[in-house]
Amino acid sequence: MEITIQARHAVLASDFQPIVEEKLRSMERFNVKIDRIEVEVTHEQNPHQGKHSHKVVVTSHGSGPALRAEATEFNDLAAFDVAIKNIELQIRKIHEKSKSHGRESIRTMP
């Protein structure tokens, strides 16, 4: 999985990229095909947007399903945490749909 991080009107903390890569790599435990993920971080210049001045958009591209989540919070990591929870919920839904839930009871087996 290729991970791209873009910052618009923002300077990212030095520990932001390793944290993002670690959390996105943990999504590989589900059997959902994701080729590329883009993380876009935007800082709002308006001072009235104090608690929601950092926006993170996470988008997946590739042969698998299209996943997208965005969140606004008071800093980059908090916004990323909210967005990654939304992506994880989407991936879990897709993973559960792909599972075979056929149940055979003991009585029906020959």
Side-chain angles (χ1 to χ4, degrees):
M1 173 178 11
E2 178 186 339
I3 299 171
T4 306
I5 300 173
Q6 297 176 348
R8 299 185 186 274
H9 311 290
V11 176
L12 298 177
S14 61
D15 63 342
F16 184 76
Q17 184 171 355
I19 292 171
V20 167
E21 289 180 358
E22 177 186 340
K23 289 188 178 186
L24 289 175
R25 297 268 182 231
S26 72
M27 296 296 156
E28 291 179 341
R29 69 181 182 267
F30 300 109
N31 291 332
V32 177
K33 179 81 170 140
I34 298 174
D35 296 335
R36 182 172 50 120
I37 291 185
E38 289 182 1
V39 178
E40 182 178 325
V41 180
T42 308
H43 288 185
E44 179 66 42
Q45 300 300 323
N46 186 351
H48 294 289
Q49 299 291 330
K51 292 185 179 179
H52 302 287
S53 62
H54 299 263
K55 179 179 180 182
V56 174
V57 179
V58 180
T59 310
S60 73
H61 300 281
S63 60
L67 304 171
R68 184 176 190 278
E70 65 180 65
T72 57
E73 288 293 327
F74 62 94
N75 70 13
D76 297 332
L77 286 176
F80 178 73
D81 285 340
V82 172
I84 201 68
K85 285 180 185 175
N86 292 337
I87 288 285
E88 185 174 354
L89 286 175
Q90 294 175 26
I91 290 176
R92 281 184 188 271
K93 277 185 176 180
I94 294 165
H95 180 71
E96 290 295 323
K97 282 183 181 180
S98 68
K99 281 186 178 178
S100 174
H101 291 288
R103 302 197 191 330
E104 294 181 4
S105 68
I106 297 173
R107 294 183 200 136
T108 59
M109 293 179 70

